[in-house]
Amino acid sequence: MFRQVPRSARPPRTCELVAGVPVPKVLIIGPGPTVRGGITTVIDAYRHSFLWSKYSCSWLSSYEDTSVLAKITSAVRALACAPVLMWNKDIIHIHGSLRTSTLRKSLFVLIAHCLRKRIIYHVHTSILDHLSGHFFKRILSLSDVVVALSPGLATRLRPFCGQTPVVSIPNPVLLPEVTLYQSHSGRILFVGRLEPGKGYLDLLRALARVFAEMPGASAVFAGHGDIRAAAQIAAELEISDKVHFTGWLSHDSMRAEYRRASVFCLPSYSEGLPMAVLEAMSHSLPVVVTPVGGVPDLIHPGVNGLLVKAGDVVAMASAIVGLLQDSELRTSLGKAARLTVERFYRSDRVCARLSELYASLRR
C-alpha cells in the first residue's frame, strides 16, 4: 500500500536562499486558531515567534470544535486544500494526539509523502496503544522525524517509529512579564476541559476535604465541557458556594485567574505536556499534578511542584492543604516553577530548537 520514497531521491522544491543558505518553507497542520485546547496554544506560540516569518509558515486548520457540522466541514476542506498548500512548501509539520486525530492526520501524511515533502509528525499525547497497529506504525515510518514532548515520551515512542528518528521538543510558553504573584487568596485553580480524563471529579472530591479543613478557601474551574454535570457533583458534595465554573476564558481573563490563584491543580489521568501546567508555572504558581505523560520530566517533587497519584483524592487534598497553610513552601515552589519554565520552556528557546530541526531538513 505504501512505497517509501528514499529521502536522498526527494528533489529540492521551493527552498528560498537567505544569505546564500536555503531556508525551507513550512506548512503547519493542526486544530484551527479558534479551537480550545493545548495544541492550538502551541501553534499560536509559533505564530508569535520568529519562526513564522523566517520559514514562511502557514497554518492549515484540520479541525474545528464548534459543532459536528463544523468538524466535518473543516476536515473535508482541509483535505481538499492540502495538496495545493503543500505544493509550495518544503516541510509539512503535522500535529496529532489521540487515535481519531492520528487517523485524520494519516491522510495528510500520505498526501505529503506522495508530493515528496519532508514530514514532521508531532505527537501530543501519552496514550500510545493505538500506535502499535501496523497502519499507524507505517504512517510514522513515512515521516522524516517524529517529535515527542519530553525525553520520557520520546523513549516510549521509539518502538513505534521504525527507523524514523524521534526527537524531544517541549511545548513553548509565552512568559508573562511579572515573575511572582504571591497570592494569599486561598484560591485553588483548575484549567482544562471538564472531562473525566482530566481528573476534575477527583479534584471536586478532594476540595470537599480541603474546605472542611480550611473554610476560607475557594476554587475556580476554568474550562469548557460538561459544566452542568460538574455543578451537580459540587452540589452533592455541598461545596457549591465555594466553587465557581467559568467556562472557557479569553487569554487575558485566563492570565488574570493565574494571578489571583494561590495553588494550581490538574490531576489528569493522561496528558502529553499540558500547557495549563506550564502556564501556571510561568506565573510562579505552585502546582499539584499527576505523574503522567511528560509531567515527570517537568516536575521535580518538592522542588518546583508536587506530584500525587492519579485518583488519590486523600493525597491530593493533603497536598493542597499543605500548600495553602505554608506560604514559604508556596513561594519556594512558585519561584522554582517559574525558573524551570524560563530555562527550558520559554517560547524563544523552544522555537530555536524547532528552527534547528527545520534547518536540518532543508534539501
Side-chain angles (χ1 to χ4, degrees):
M1 181 178 179
F2 304 108
R3 182 175 64 85
Q4 182 74 43
V5 177
R7 287 166 172 75
S8 60
R10 299 180 185 180
R13 290 280 184 177
T14 63
C15 287
E16 293 183 345
L17 293 178
V18 176
V21 178
V23 177
K25 297 179 180 179
V26 178
L27 176 64
I28 296 175
I29 300 177
T34 62
V35 173
R36 300 163 291 184
I39 299 179
T40 296
T41 304
V42 168
I43 299 175
D44 198 51
Y46 298 161
R47 186 168 61 171
H48 287 87
S49 75
F50 69 91
L51 290 174
W52 215 255
S53 58
K54 180 175 181 178
Y55 294 98
S56 302
C57 293
S58 300
W59 184 349
L60 174 58
S61 170
S62 62
Y63 175 80
E64 297 294 340
D65 64 354
T66 52
S67 67
V68 174
L69 180 60
K71 293 176 183 179
I72 296 173
T73 302
S74 61
V76 172
R77 183 189 302 117
L79 286 171
C81 294
V84 176
L85 295 176
M86 289 181 185
W87 186 258
N88 290 318
K89 299 294 185 179
D90 305 287
I91 297 172
I92 313 303
H93 186 172
I94 300 171
H95 294 259
S97 55
L98 298 174
R99 182 183 181 89
T100 54
S101 173
T102 305
L103 188 60
R104 290 196 306 269
K105 301 302 169 44
S106 66
L107 300 176
F108 295 102
V109 172
L110 294 174
I111 294 170
H113 176 70
C114 290
L115 292 174
R116 299 184 179 182
K117 302 298 181 178
R118 299 294 191 186
I119 303 168
I120 299 173
Y121 196 90
H122 205 134
V123 180
H124 288 265
T125 180
S126 62
I127 300 176
L128 306 178
D129 293 347
H130 65 284
L131 297 178
S132 62
H134 176 75
F135 176 79
F136 291 117
K137 282 186 175 180
R138 196 73 179 103
I139 288 298
L140 293 178
S141 73
L142 293 180
S143 302
D144 291 89
V145 178
V146 172
V147 175
L149 299 179
S150 76
L153 287 174
T155 298
R156 290 179 55 200
L157 262 173
R158 287 191 178 98
F160 303 102
C161 298
Q163 298 302 310
T164 301
V166 180
V167 300
S168 170
I169 299 179
N171 288 335
V173 181
L174 297 170
L175 287 176
E177 293 181 4
V178 180
T179 61
L180 188 60
Y181 292 105
Q182 296 191 6
S183 172
H184 301 294
S185 63
R187 181 180 299 201
I188 301 105
L189 177 63
F190 169 98
V191 178
R193 184 178 177 84
L194 297 178
E195 59 185 11
K198 292 290 186 180
Y200 84 94
L201 294 172
D202 296 328
L203 179 54
L204 284 172
R205 297 185 182 102
L207 289 175
R209 294 173 175 267
V210 173
F211 297 151
E213 192 165 346
M214 303 193 69
S218 63
V220 171
F221 286 73
H224 59 304
D226 199 344
I227 294 177
R228 181 177 297 180
Q232 179 61 37
I233 297 296
E236 293 172 1
L237 293 168
E238 299 182 348
I239 59 173
S240 295
D241 59 328
K242 296 182 178 295
V243 178
H244 179 50
F245 300 97
T246 68
W248 185 261
L249 296 175
S250 68
H251 177 74
D252 290 342
S253 296
M254 193 64 259
R255 285 201 163 187
E257 289 297 339
Y258 285 125
R259 290 195 296 269
R260 295 188 189 106
S262 298
V263 175
F264 176 88
C265 185
L266 183 67
S268 300
Y269 285 81
S270 67
E271 289 285 356
L273 184 62
M275 286 300 300
V277 175
L278 292 171
E279 290 174 347
M281 294 173 69
S282 77
H283 283 80
S284 302
L285 267 178
V287 300
V288 178
V289 290
T290 48
V292 296
V295 172
D297 291 312
L298 168 66
I299 298 297
H300 301 283
V303 178
N304 63 352
L306 299 179
L307 294 177
V308 296
K309 184 179 179 181
D312 192 337
V313 170
V314 174
M316 195 185 311
S318 177
I320 293 171
V321 169
L323 285 172
L324 292 178
Q325 291 179 337
D326 191 337
S327 62
E328 289 186 4
L329 180 60
R330 288 202 311 274
T331 299
S332 172
L333 294 182
K335 285 182 177 179
R338 168 77 184 205
L339 187 59
T340 298
V341 174
E342 287 180 348
R343 286 180 173 175
F344 304 109
Y345 301 90
R346 199 174 71 200
S347 181
D348 58 339
R349 295 193 176 188
V350 173
C351 289
R353 292 174 61 180
L354 187 56
S355 177
E356 293 175 359
L357 178 59
Y358 287 165
S360 73
L361 294 177
R362 66 183 174 226
R363 301 179 190 279

